[in-house]
């Protein structure tokens, strides 16, 4: 099950935990579309995402676009290797290029 924690800090943060896949994406998308960023940059922490599929990749792309439409820039942190592989296989590196913080999950 995916959990979302929308934190209000100096720089807004979103923490995603669990699986980000076809079964969980619809519920999480409902919550994220209602979210209104309070800053111009938001960090999305993916460090506790244990599984992701193509639906999760699309969700992240839509989240980036949703934030952009509200003058907010999304930065993805602690990006799992599985997501990097999916991005490469899907040939969408250019869409994520300005949104990745290059940190490894410990």
């Amino acid at each position: 099950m995916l959990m979302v924690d929308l934190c209000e800090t100096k720089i807004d943060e979103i923490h995603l935990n669990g699986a980000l896949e076809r079964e969980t994406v619809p519920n999480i998308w409902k919550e994220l579309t209602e979210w209104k960023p309070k800053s111009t940059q938001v960090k999305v922490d993916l460090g506790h995402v244990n599984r992701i599929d193509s639906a999760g990749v699309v969700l992240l792309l839509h989240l980036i676009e949703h934030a952009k439409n509200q003058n907010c820039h999304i930065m993805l942190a602690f990006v799992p290797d599985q997501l990097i592989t999916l991005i490469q296989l899907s040939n969408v590196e250019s869409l994520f290029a300005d949104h990745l913080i290059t940190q490894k999950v410990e």
Side-chain angles (χ1 to χ4, degrees):
M1 178 174 183
L2 183 69
M3 295 172 34
V4 176
D5 181 16
L6 301 175
C7 298
E8 291 184 26
T9 59
K10 191 171 188 179
I11 295 179
D12 286 346
E13 292 188 19
I14 298 173
H15 298 269
L16 299 176
N17 303 294
L20 188 56
E21 56 192 9
R22 185 173 51 101
E23 291 82 20
T24 60
V25 163
N27 290 333
I28 195 66
W29 182 242
K30 286 178 192 174
E31 188 172 344
L32 289 174
T33 56
E34 295 174 6
W35 166 71
K36 305 290 184 228
K38 294 182 167 69
S39 66
T40 58
Q41 182 168 322
V42 173
K43 178 175 128 183
V44 177
D45 184 336
L46 302 172
H48 296 286
V49 172
N50 57 25
R51 193 169 51 250
I52 188 164
D53 67 9
S54 59
V57 173
V58 172
L59 171 80
L60 293 173
L61 285 172
H62 282 293
L63 176 60
I64 289 168
E65 188 65 24
H66 175 72
K68 183 179 176 181
N69 289 337
Q70 298 179 59
N71 298 315
C72 178
H73 184 78
I74 294 289
M75 292 302 298
L76 304 174
F78 305 107
V79 178
D81 289 339
Q82 185 181 18
L83 176 56
I84 297 296
T85 300
L86 284 170
I87 290 171
Q88 291 169 342
L89 290 173
S90 302
N91 199 28
V92 292
E93 297 98 328
S94 64
L95 300 176
F96 282 96
D98 295 333
H99 302 280
L100 299 176
I101 298 173
T102 54
Q103 297 170 319
K104 283 289 192 183
V105 177
E106 297 291 323

